Every structure is written in structure tokens, then in C-alpha cells.
Amino acid sequence: MSIRIGILGYGNLGRGVECAIRQNPDTDLVAVFTRRNPETVSIYTETAKVCHVDEMEGWKDKIDVLILCGGSATDLPKQTPDAVRLFNVVDSFDTHARIPEHFAAVDKAAKESGKIGIISVGWDPGMFSLIRMISGAVLPEGADYTFWGKGVSQGHSDAVRRIEGVKDAKQYTIPVEEALNRVRSGENPALTTREKHIRECFVVAEEGADLERIENEIKTMPNYFADYDTIVHFITEEELMRDHSGIPHGGFVIRSGKTGLNKENSHIIEYSLKLDSNPEFTSSVIVAYARAAYRLANEGFSGAKTVFDIAPGYLSAKSGEELRKTLL
Amino acid sequence: MSIRIGILGYGNLGRGVECAIRQNPDTDLVAVFTRRNPETVSIYTETAKVCHVDEMEGWKDKIDVLILCGGSATDLPKQTPDAVRLFNVVDSFDTHARIPEHFAAVDKAAKESGKIGIISVGWDPGMFSLIRMISGAVLPEGADYTFWGKGVSQGHSDAVRRIEGVKDAKQYTIPVEEALNRVRSGENPALTTREKHIRECFVVAEEGADLERIENEIKTMPNYFADYDTIVHFITEEELMRDHSGIPHGGFVIRSGKTGLNKENSHIIEYSLKLDSNPEFTSSVIVAYARAAYRLANEGFSGAKTVFDIAPGYLSAKSGEELRKTLL
């Protein structure tokens, strides 16, 4: 029997989840819930329904796992605890600093309803967290490094777009190769923000806008750019569409540690992702964890979970026996 | 209260475990068991005892987890099922093809005794298996690649040493950079054995030995070398001691997969290890899983487990709350 999945929110992430479900034969998309008029939303899956979010409660017994595809700023802090009262859920809540309170809210609601709520699934938080955690447990004496990119930062692109005279913009976060190589050498360097990442902006300006002022406003913007070396390119709208319409991303997690009686031996663990589509990869991780949510719920577990709490075998459609035989 | 650990077998791996325990404040080495005369074995840890393996049963209630540091060929198939009748155990059984039967034997004995037996822990099997499994679950349409090295292969070094006229030898397994780069490009190539790895041998010959014959015997040795491009260097005993006395190893696991409605997006997951000391890194992984064995047993679980069956959080000395706050 297939795992019946619902999607709440049909943007880039929701579409990614829909595509990922098609690649996992043990999962079926049954419904997409939207705040828009359902008649205006067209999806790829002919066998699934598009419904208004207000109809969600009626699907209580027809969905095994609901995947929440809203944003972390305002949607998920409310949606996830609400939805877990009805469904097993998975979200990709990614405001790192607010994870403890989000976990607590989801855990409380999930324990009351007897459902599973897996939060903060994706690649960071998600796969990167898993690697940081396991690597630190394996090499307790050492240092962690996370680099992001090369990839599009939605938040930084938005920040540039808000500047007066900017028509459109894309911002790429790029790890500094020299910093990466210093970390890989086992040197355990202390790196400043500026030493770790470069920010590169492709900006379409309004006609007649003051380019020098725009460039200066970008480069001096606090939090977003002031602490980085930032490169600004002004390009045409056509160039932006042609060369920068994708949503690639990726990054590196490196643990550099020592072992031995006198810490004489160095070890480097490196995990990297090179992703053509950030939302589609995130969605693929989420669907694997939806499988885990379904199984954990069937085994009688409830409450909030993160990637740290779930045995990896739950993510795979293969049996334990098959996994041991083919992948161990 | 610390986790009381025993070690069975005090070679490179046993010494590595002893060093790793010193880096994990919540673990204590209490006893080392050896088949040798205990008086001839000196260990680093003053507070631990060296005992003959025949005394092991008397330690039944004084050890929380016994770490088995014997070999996979003949020691572990018997030792692990035997030991799990008395203790929670962790081993590094690495004969991939025989894992299913080893798992079954350990599982049966562990369920009878109510203990936990974690098998096949280390980096391959172990960390590499975990990455292969998780990556395959996340990107179900794609291909897996595992490359080993650069590092010392004990089995291949031994094979060279058995050749007549060879006094000593070290063999390095080296991944072919071009193959790695083809995989990283997302091309999903079908690679032959020869295309993936090079074998490089450093050989000390007996005085007057026929070097040409030795080189030829190495290069044509079935299973070990015949399917590879092999480089043979003859060096002096002093050079071997000076330049090749370490036991470095490492390798790469790469998953190359596609997502999207029409598989239009490519993703590369790459995990790599660069290890100064193969046995010390393996030991570090084992000690983290010993912590997991202790906790699982305390929670009432029993039976055989592998890295696929254990939630990552069990590996860390930190609480779930701390992990979520600092590493998610």
C-alpha cells in the first residue's frame, strides 16, 4: 500500500515535492492544499485533487503524511503545530535560532494528537546538520566548518531588489576556495565572515537609475553585505532571464579532527552538495523523511522529531535485510 | 556515570579504541582482554586491567560495552555471537558479502541474552554505508560510486609480501582522478575496475632477488592486481620505514542523481574521508557507536543493529536539546 501524501502550499517547494513523489513508487500524492482559489492552481498529478486550505480537516483520514511547504518566517510557526493535530507532518523550518521553540510547539501538539511531526528537514537544516552531528560525535576533538554555495540566496536577492532603482536581481553566495583549502589541509583556521564567502550580485537597474549609488547601497548594507567582499554586475533583463533563472545551491560541511595518544593524527571528513535545484533537492529529502514519519507513526511513536532522532533505515523504501545486503 | 568499556584484542584497532576512549569523557576503559600472556601486554590506561580472554565472563557485570577488535576472517564470526551472550558489543566486521549471516548469528544470540550487538562499524562498512544509504533514499534515481584511497590496503600489502624474494612491502590504493571528475560532472559513467583505481606498490626485495620476476608476479596476480594498472617501486628497507610506516586511508562516496518533472536537474552528493590513521578513525567511529549501544540497551532494546538502525543522536554525548540548539 502506498503512502498517501498531502502538500500544503504549492510554490517551488510544493512543486518539488510533487516531482519527488513521482520518483518514489511507494508514495502517492493525493491532495494539494492552497490558500489561493483552487481552480487557479494547476498541478502535474492527474490523480490528485487541489483543495482550499479550509477543506484540510476533511482529509484527516485520507492522508498519511502532510508535507508543509510554507515559509519559516510566518507560515510554519503556526501551520506545523496546527497541522500536526490532524496529520503526521514534515516541514523544512529553517530559522536556526528559533528551532528549539518550534520543536517545543510541534512536540506538544503532536504528543496530544498522537502524531509524528518531523521538523527542519532539507539540506541545511537537514543533511548538513546530520553530517555536522555525526562527524562531531566521531571526532570529538576538532572543528566544524560549513560553507554555502555556489548558489542563489533568496533572502539576499530580495534585499537587493528592495533598493530604489533596482528592477530585478539575483545574488550568489560563493565559498572562498582558499578558505576551503586551508580547512581541508587540517590547519583548523579561525575564519572571518569575509574570509569564508564572497557575494556576487547580478542587478537589472531601472532606466536612468544611479548605478554608483545602487552599488554602494548594496556593498554597505548591514548584515547582508557589509561584512563581505561583494561583486556587483549590472546586466540587462534579458541576460538575467537567460543566465540566472535557475535556483542552484550547495555547499560544504567539513570536520577537521585529531586522534591518537598525543593527537598526532589528523582526519578530514568532507560532505558536499552540488545542486541544480535547491527546492527540488530539499523536496527529495523531505519525501524520504515523509516515509520515515509514516513508519514511525505506524509503529506507535508520536511527538516532534528531527533528523537526529530518526534511524537512517526509515528513509529507504528497501527492507533492512536488503539494505544490509546491498549497501552496508 | 561513565560508560564502562572493555576491549577484546589489543592490536592497532584495540590501541585506537583505547585512544578514542580518552577523547570521550563519558567513557572509561576498564579492561583489555588478550589471548597473549597479559603480563606481556602493556597499555596506556593506568586505571584499566589487562586480562586473559578466558577471564572475560567474570567481567559480565563490570562492563557496559565490549568492543571487539579482532579480524573479520576468523575472529569475529565466532567472537561476536559468543560475546553478545555476556555483553553489549560493537564490532567492525567488514567482509561485506558475509554481513547477512553475521547479522543473523549476532541477532539470535543478542535476542536470547537481551543485549545489543552493533556490527560492521567503522568507515566502510560504517560511515560510507550510511552515506550510500541515505543518499540513495534521497535521490532514488541515480548512481552510487565508492572510491577508496589514497591509502594502505593491508590485504594487498600482505599479498605482495607472500611473493618469493619479497622482504617487505606496502601497497597503496589510489582513486583515478579522471574517473572521480567524470562522476562529479554528473555524467554517470560505467567504470571498469581499471578505470577507478590504481595500485602502487613499494617493495623491499631480498638481496639478489629477480626484480623483474617479482614485478611481473605482482602485476599479474589474479583478483589482487591483474585487473588494475599497477606501479611497482623497489626501495630499501630504510626508505620503507621512513616513508611508508603510516596507515593512512580514505576515500569517496558519490551519489549522482536527477530530479524534476523530466529529470532535468542534476545533483551531486559527495562524502570524503582523508585519514592519517585508518585504525584510529575506525576506532573513533566504534566508540561513538559504543555510546549508542549503551543507551539502546538502557532503553530496553536488544538484538543485532547496524548503522542503518540507529538514530544519529545516540552517537553524541550531547543531549537532544543541545544538539537541536547548536547543530541543527
Side-chain angles (χ1 to χ4, degrees):
Chain A
M1 207 192 69
S2 274
I3 304 169
R4 299 167 301 173
I5 294 184
I7 291 173
L8 172 54
Y10 195 69
N12 283 331
L13 192 62
R15 271 188 295 274
V17 169
E18 184 180 17
C19 292
I21 288 170
R22 297 159 71 103
Q23 294 188 287
N24 286 279
D26 62 333
T27 63
D28 268 331
L29 178 64
V30 295
V32 170
F33 300 98
T34 176
R35 283 179 291 210
R36 292 176 269 172
N37 175 352
E39 283 171 23
T40 66
V41 175
S42 98
I43 65 173
Y44 307 126
T45 309
E46 290 177 8
T47 51
K49 285 202 172 167
V50 181
C51 304
H52 192 267
V53 63
D54 291 343
E55 301 173 53
M56 221 159 62
E57 192 156 356
W59 287 80
K60 195 176 165 356
D61 301 317
K62 289 181 268 182
I63 285 175
D64 296 311
V65 184
L66 182 72
I67 295 176
L68 305 174
C69 298
S72 296
T74 56
D75 297 333
L76 298 176
K78 179 158 165 42
Q79 277 178 357
T80 313
D82 282 354
V84 83
R85 297 192 180 278
L86 302 170
F87 305 98
N88 300 305
V89 303
V90 183
D91 81 15
S92 59
F93 185 79
D94 67 358
T95 311
H96 291 261
R98 300 188 60 189
I99 285 174
E101 61 186 287
H102 187 58
F103 183 90
V106 175
D107 195 48
K108 184 169 180 293
K111 281 192 174 138
E112 283 167 17
S113 66
K115 302 286 182 185
I116 288 282
I118 308 182
I119 66 158
S120 301
V121 174
W123 58 275
D124 196 1
M127 292 294 108
F128 273 18
S129 323
L130 207 56
I131 301 297
R132 278 191 291 261
M133 197 240 95
I134 296 174
S135 303
V138 165
L139 294 175
E141 297 189 44
D144 271 341
Y145 296 87
T146 301
F147 292 85
W148 294 276
K150 181 182 176 174
V152 173
S153 162
Q154 219 53 62
H156 287 78
S157 300
D158 290 344
V160 174
R161 280 189 212 107
R162 284 192 295 265
I163 292 174
E164 202 193 312
V166 171
K167 198 171 172 189
D168 204 350
K170 262 291 169 67
Q171 192 269 185
Y172 294 90
T173 305
I174 306 171
V176 176
E177 195 65 29
E178 194 207 331
L180 266 172
N181 288 335
R182 285 178 63 195
V183 171
R184 286 176 182 142
S185 77
E187 170 194 334
N188 284 15
L191 296 166
T192 64
T193 298
R194 191 177 301 275
E195 285 172 319
K196 288 183 73 186
H197 295 96
I198 291 170
R199 299 203 174 276
E200 187 172 26
C201 306
F202 293 86
V203 181
V204 180
E206 308 273 7
E207 223 182 290
D210 179 348
L211 303 189
E212 209 172 309
R213 175 190 53 79
I214 292 173
E215 179 162 348
N216 188 55
E217 277 193 41
I218 295 173
K219 290 185 170 175
T220 59
M221 193 186 297
N223 302 319
Y224 286 89
F225 294 99
D227 297 335
Y228 298 85
D229 288 337
T230 301
I231 302 162
V232 177
H233 308 275
F234 289 98
I235 60 173
T236 65
E237 201 158 9
E238 292 67 38
E239 287 170 320
L240 192 79
M241 293 290 285
R242 188 190 65 205
D243 303 332
H244 304 285
S245 62
I247 321 176
H249 219 315
F252 304 80
V253 171
I254 303 176
R255 177 84 182 171
S256 165
K258 303 276 185 191
T259 66
L261 201 59
N262 304 299
K263 332 267 179 254
E264 63 274 28
N265 288 314
S266 294
H267 306 277
I268 304 285
I269 303 172
E270 177 169 342
Y271 179 83
S272 71
L273 296 173
K274 205 167 61 190
L275 313 175
D276 273 359
S277 164
N278 182 355
E280 285 181 11
F281 186 79
T282 301
S283 304
S284 299
V285 179
I286 288 175
V287 170
Y289 277 93
R291 179 181 291 122
Y294 172 75
R295 291 184 180 170
L296 286 165
N298 277 354
E299 291 179 14
F301 294 99
S302 68
K305 305 276 174 196
T306 75
V307 294
F308 301 149
D309 306 312
I310 295 170
Y314 281 106
L315 305 179
S316 173
K318 296 177 179 156
S319 70
E321 200 172 353
E322 198 178 347
L323 291 179
R324 285 191 293 276
K325 196 172 166 181
T326 58
L327 291 169
L328 198 65
Chain B
M1 209 193 68
S2 275
I3 304 169
R4 298 166 301 173
I5 294 183
I7 291 173
L8 172 54
Y10 195 68
N12 283 332
L13 192 62
R15 271 188 296 275
V17 169
E18 184 179 18
C19 291
I21 288 170
R22 297 160 70 103
Q23 294 187 287
N24 287 279
D26 62 333
T27 63
D28 268 331
L29 178 65
V30 295
V32 170
F33 301 99
T34 176
R35 284 180 289 213
R36 292 176 269 171
N37 176 353
E39 284 171 24
T40 66
V41 175
S42 97
I43 64 173
Y44 307 126
T45 310
E46 289 177 10
T47 51
K49 285 201 172 168
V50 181
C51 305
H52 193 267
V53 64
D54 291 342
E55 300 172 53
M56 222 159 62
E57 193 157 355
W59 286 80
K60 195 175 163 1
D61 301 315
K62 289 180 267 181
I63 284 174
D64 296 310
V65 184
L66 182 71
I67 295 176
L68 305 174
C69 298
S72 296
T74 55
D75 296 333
L76 298 176
K78 180 159 165 39
Q79 277 178 356
T80 312
D82 282 354
V84 84
R85 299 193 178 277
L86 302 170
F87 304 99
N88 300 303
V89 303
V90 182
D91 80 17
S92 60
F93 185 79
D94 67 357
T95 311
H96 292 261
R98 300 189 59 190
I99 285 174
E101 62 185 287
H102 188 57
F103 183 90
V106 175
D107 195 48
K108 183 169 182 292
K111 282 191 174 138
E112 282 167 15
S113 66
K115 301 287 182 184
I116 288 282
I118 309 182
I119 66 158
S120 300
V121 174
W123 59 275
D124 197 359
M127 292 294 108
F128 274 18
S129 323
L130 208 55
I131 300 297
R132 278 190 292 260
M133 197 239 96
I134 295 174
S135 304
V138 165
L139 293 175
E141 297 188 46
D144 272 338
Y145 296 87
T146 302
F147 292 85
W148 295 275
K150 181 181 177 176
V152 174
S153 162
Q154 219 54 63
H156 287 78
S157 299
D158 289 345
V160 175
R161 279 189 211 107
R162 285 192 295 264
I163 293 174
E164 202 193 313
V166 171
K167 199 171 172 188
D168 204 349
K170 262 291 167 70
Q171 193 269 186
Y172 294 90
T173 306
I174 305 171
V176 176
E177 196 65 30
E178 193 206 331
L180 266 172
N181 287 335
R182 285 179 62 196
V183 171
R184 285 176 182 141
S185 77
E187 171 193 335
N188 283 13
L191 296 166
T192 63
T193 298
R194 191 178 301 273
E195 286 171 318
K196 286 184 71 186
H197 295 96
I198 291 169
R199 299 202 174 275
E200 186 173 27
C201 306
F202 293 86
V203 181
V204 180
E206 308 272 8
E207 222 182 291
D210 179 347
L211 303 189
E212 209 173 310
R213 174 190 54 79
I214 292 174
E215 179 162 348
N216 188 53
E217 277 193 40
I218 295 172
K219 290 185 169 174
T220 58
M221 194 186 298
N223 302 319
Y224 286 90
F225 294 99
D227 297 334
Y228 298 85
D229 288 337
T230 301
I231 303 162
V232 177
H233 308 275
F234 289 98
I235 61 174
T236 65
E237 200 158 12
E238 293 67 40
E239 287 170 320
L240 192 79
M241 291 290 284
R242 188 190 65 205
D243 304 331
H244 305 284
S245 61
I247 320 175
H249 219 313
F252 303 80
V253 172
I254 303 176
R255 177 84 182 171
S256 166
K258 303 276 185 192
T259 66
L261 201 58
N262 303 301
K263 332 266 179 256
E264 62 273 27
N265 289 313
S266 294
H267 307 276
I268 303 285
I269 303 172
E270 177 169 342
Y271 179 83
S272 70
L273 295 173
K274 205 166 64 191
L275 313 174
D276 273 0
S277 165
N278 182 355
E280 285 181 11
F281 186 79
T282 300
S283 304
S284 298
V285 179
I286 289 174
V287 170
Y289 277 93
R291 179 181 291 122
Y294 173 74
R295 292 184 178 170
L296 287 165
N298 278 355
E299 292 179 12
F301 295 98
S302 67
K305 306 276 173 196
T306 75
V307 294
F308 301 149
D309 307 311
I310 295 171
Y314 282 106
L315 305 178
S316 173
K318 295 177 179 157
S319 70
E321 202 173 352
E322 198 178 347
L323 291 179
R324 285 191 294 276
K325 195 172 166 181
T326 59
L327 292 168
L328 196 65

